[in-house]
Amino acid sequence: MKLCIYGASSSAIDAVYTDTVYVLGKTLGQRGHSLIFGGGAHGLMGAAARGTADGGGEVIGVAPRFFDRDGILWENCTQLILTDTMRQRKQKMEELADGFLMVPGGIGTYEEFFEILTLKQLGRHSKPIALLNVAGYFDPLEDMLSATVRKGFMKPACLQLYAAFSDAESALSYFEHYSAPETGWEGLKYP
């Protein structure tokens, strides 16, 4: 399995996040899976890459050429794919990945998550999507999505398009045993 992990590029975050995502990556590699990620050397992107490599897994970075400067990209990728734009980067990650896992991050991470979630809602893919809710980081996001349903802006079935987990083991098991539901996108959108 090739798992795309979206996450922070910042190193100015608490070690609980970095340590948890490193273990996630290491477990991913030990289970014989590959990492697809944004190519970054720092933050949770770097932690996932180091962990996956330490676990014996393949690490595939996908980054726009303008990030190819000293210290930005992780130098030990099994494969590094450079694109011209951020849009091409996301498309390439989507094509390569068998599933998508969001770990804590900022606006770029949210943007990637919401795009892949929207594409699933619209029936453009049926791949698994999950959140790794480290130390309750995504609790406000979960509250916001629930409020979106309560206020009629999104159908309740949309909350089933992804799953949330508090530990790496459960998240990886979800991806390993996932089978896509046979529902059409029409039931996920209001007219």
Side-chain angles (χ1 to χ4, degrees):
M1 170 181 66
K2 291 181 178 177
L3 183 62
C4 179
I5 295 181
Y6 301 130
S9 61
S10 171
S11 293
I13 54 179
D14 192 288
V16 68
Y17 301 109
T18 308
D19 294 347
T20 301
V21 173
Y22 172 84
V23 170
L24 166 70
K26 189 169 186 177
T27 306
L28 182 74
Q30 289 170 337
R31 288 171 122 160
H33 304 306
S34 301
L35 170 68
I36 309 293
F37 80 121
H42 305 287
L44 301 188
M45 279 199 277
R50 288 188 304 278
T52 303
D54 289 349
E58 178 184 34
V59 178
I60 302 169
V62 183
R65 281 184 175 73
F66 62 84
F67 281 173
D68 192 13
R69 296 183 293 163
D70 288 342
I72 293 179
L73 299 178
W74 196 59
E75 296 177 354
N76 299 314
C77 290
T78 309
Q79 180 182 6
L80 179 62
I81 300 168
L82 296 176
T83 63
D84 291 325
T85 67
M86 291 291 278
R87 285 188 180 100
Q88 290 171 345
R89 173 202 208 185
K90 290 185 299 179
Q91 182 177 356
K92 189 65 172 176
M93 292 167 77
E94 178 190 342
E95 290 169 3
L96 293 172
D98 299 311
F100 307 90
L101 178 62
M102 182 169 70
V103 300
I107 59 173
T109 302
Y110 289 127
E111 189 267 340
E112 290 167 326
F113 169 75
F114 280 114
E115 180 171 334
I116 209 69
L117 186 66
T118 301
L119 291 172
K120 188 172 183 178
Q121 179 195 30
L122 295 173
R124 306 321 308 158
H125 75 86
S126 59
K127 299 174 185 180
I129 302 171
L131 311 174
L132 183 59
N133 192 11
V134 181
Y137 183 82
F138 289 123
D139 289 351
L141 175 65
E142 293 271 79
D143 291 344
M144 181 189 76
L145 290 172
S146 293
T148 304
V149 168
R150 280 193 315 276
K151 295 178 182 192
F153 289 93
M154 184 170 76
K155 285 193 170 186
C158 290
L159 295 177
Q160 305 305 311
L161 294 173
Y162 73 96
F165 302 93
S166 58
D167 65 280
E169 188 72 32
S170 298
L172 290 177
S173 292
Y174 170 75
F175 286 101
E176 290 168 342
H177 299 101
Y178 181 81
S179 79
E182 294 188 26
T183 58
W185 67 272
E186 297 85 1
L188 298 168
K189 294 282 297 167
Y190 286 115

